[in-house]
Amino acid sequence: MLPMVINFVKWGSIPVLLVASIFSGFAASYKLPADLVICLGAVVLVQLAVRSKEYFWAAGFVVIVVLFSPLLLVVKIFLLMGLACIAAFGTLLAAFRKQPVAAL
């Protein structure tokens, strides 16, 4: 029962975060609190995704956290570029890991 609830929350959170992000621009005086709520919701979902070892979902929610954080745009861009470089380095590290040679 618990995996079904987690799956429902995960798939249901994406439209909720997207709708909240659409309407956060209309609330000019409440933009910062709305962005913080979206950011904190995505942080909780990152923790759930990492705990259930679904790293692809966690990476997607990390992007949402960075986009809706109260940082400057330049800082957000460089943070996303840094995360992309770390992901590329991790992929290369996994691809070029030493493999044991089979003895003949």
Side-chain angles (χ1 to χ4, degrees):
M1 176 86 177
L2 185 62
M4 186 176 75
V5 171
I6 291 174
N7 196 19
F8 177 74
V9 168
K10 181 173 50 179
W11 281 101
S13 65
I14 294 171
V16 169
L17 286 172
L18 289 175
V19 169
S21 68
I22 290 170
F23 291 118
S24 70
F26 293 120
S29 61
Y30 297 109
K31 183 164 177 42
L32 181 64
D35 285 348
L36 285 175
V37 167
I38 293 169
C39 185
L40 290 176
V43 166
V44 170
L45 291 171
V46 166
Q47 292 175 349
L48 285 174
V50 169
R51 193 175 304 142
S52 63
K53 295 182 180 174
E54 295 185 14
Y55 301 113
F56 182 75
W57 282 97
F61 288 125
V62 164
V63 171
I64 292 173
V65 167
V66 171
L67 288 177
F68 290 100
S69 65
L71 300 173
L72 295 173
L73 181 62
V74 173
V75 176
K76 290 179 187 181
I77 290 171
F78 281 108
L79 187 58
L80 286 175
M81 285 184 354
L83 290 173
C85 289
I86 290 171
F89 179 72
T91 303
L92 287 172
L93 194 63
F96 290 114
R97 185 171 293 164
K98 290 184 180 180
Q99 301 289 330
V101 178
L104 295 176

